[in-house]
Amino acid sequence: MASMSGTSANPPARAKKKRPRSYDAARTRAAVLAQFGHVRQAVEGLSEEQLAGRSGLGEWTVRELAAHLSMALGSVVRFLGEPAPARAEVSLQQWPFTTAPHAGQVAEDTRVLAAGAPVQELFAKVAADLAEVLPGADDERITMTRVGPMRFADFLVTRCVELVVHGDDLARATGAEVKFDRQALAACTRVLADALAVKAPGASTEVRIPPYAVVQCIEGPRHTRGTPPNVVETDPLTWIRLATGRTQWADALEKAQVMASGERADLVGVLPIMG
């Protein structure tokens, strides 16, 4: 399998400007609450020994990972309490590429939070606060987030990503069952798939993540009809782990978790998308 860095002998066709994917705001709200509930249930079943164990994410313990999950939803309440900026400056399509510079502060905030109240109390407080403020929140409100002003409905989609990615981290670190809300898993899959298309624009390779997403990416000869010459296909959780660096491309291929065919079906040069 060759690298995807090859160039086409033919001039690229004029690409149509693609409209950003839209998300139903009511379904997103329901997905956020459902996935938070699944994560909370898993956390409440953890023993002190499990909470003190390693999370697999740097130096974080499982307790710190759980605290971070509560913080991901606690931020919704916190940001809604701040003055609304005049306009959004970060789109949902940009968001995956804006988080890395804030990783240090996020880690520090997580450590402080985990050293305070027991994680079960953190989740209980966030659940109560969400029940109070979320029903009246305006989806079109501009909200100041850690990475910049965002439309509130878009920010809620990013909470699906946080809850699914770190809920999977929690399950793998502890062996606990973490259920995945279908809509939350779909949103997470689609956000990261669309980010791939932004990071590696083109139309020579089709990436399929059934049943939630299909995107085209990678420069090269444009595919117009019939079976694409370059295809990558995988399941949602494997895709999410690849896109966030939890799984390496070579390992996924070796374990047959990814099907890749065609000379431009090697994504190793563009993964991960976000950490």
Side-chain angles (χ1 to χ4, degrees):
M1 187 158 45
S3 167
M4 60 185 149
S5 59
T7 57
S8 168
N10 301 316
R14 184 183 297 273
K16 294 181 180 179
K17 190 170 182 180
K18 200 172 178 183
R19 178 178 296 179
R21 192 190 301 269
S22 62
Y23 294 80
D24 182 273
R27 289 184 178 181
T28 299
R29 286 178 181 237
V32 166
L33 293 175
Q35 191 59 45
F36 182 69
H38 292 327
V39 171
R40 181 183 179 186
Q41 184 177 23
V43 169
E44 288 178 344
L46 297 178
S47 66
E48 283 299 313
E49 183 179 0
Q50 286 174 305
L51 287 168
R54 308 311 302 175
S55 70
L57 300 177
E59 297 300 315
W60 277 6
T61 63
V62 171
R63 188 186 309 279
E64 287 167 330
L65 171 58
H68 180 74
L69 276 159
S70 76
M71 188 170 71
L73 265 289
S75 63
V76 174
V77 178
R78 185 170 72 255
F79 294 147
L80 281 174
E82 297 179 0
R87 60 186 178 87
E89 296 178 5
V90 179
S91 69
L92 185 55
Q93 290 68 39
Q94 295 168 324
W95 174 78
F97 310 107
T98 64
T99 61
H102 304 275
Q105 188 60 56
V106 168
E108 178 59 27
D109 292 347
T110 296
R111 283 191 290 269
V112 171
L113 190 63
V119 289
Q120 293 85 352
E121 291 184 16
L122 295 176
F123 274 81
K125 183 179 188 309
V126 171
D129 290 344
L130 282 174
E132 182 178 348
V133 305
L134 193 57
D138 180 1
D139 291 317
E140 299 303 320
R141 182 188 193 275
I142 306 304
T143 305
M144 176 55 76
T145 75
R146 192 184 292 270
V147 301
M150 294 184 72
R151 178 173 166 263
F152 182 67
D154 289 341
F155 180 60
L156 281 186
V157 176
T158 73
R159 301 307 85 189
C160 286
V161 178
E162 290 275 352
L163 288 169
V164 169
V165 170
H166 290 307
D168 183 45
D169 290 335
L170 184 71
R172 290 185 294 115
T174 64
E177 180 185 6
V178 177
K179 297 178 182 178
F180 292 101
D181 174 78
R182 180 180 174 86
Q183 189 67 30
L185 184 61
C188 182
T189 302
R190 290 165 180 160
V191 167
L192 295 174
D194 290 344
L196 171 66
V198 171
K199 185 175 182 179
S204 72
T205 302
E206 187 166 282
V207 177
R208 302 169 179 172
I209 310 136
Y212 300 132
V214 177
V215 296
Q216 293 187 337
C217 58
I218 312 300
E219 291 183 350
R222 184 178 181 84
H223 170 71
T224 55
R225 62 178 177 269
T227 302
N230 306 289
V231 176
V232 173
E233 184 166 330
T234 189
D235 64 275
L237 275 180
T238 297
W239 166 244
I240 289 165
R241 293 168 186 170
L242 284 167
T244 59
R246 271 66 172 173
T247 294
Q248 299 303 306
W249 177 256
D251 292 338
L253 284 175
E254 183 179 350
K255 295 175 183 176
Q257 296 170 329
V258 172
M259 183 280 289
S261 62
E263 64 178 12
R264 288 183 171 81
D266 186 349
L267 301 185
V268 70
V270 293
L271 295 175
I273 294 166
M274 65 180 294

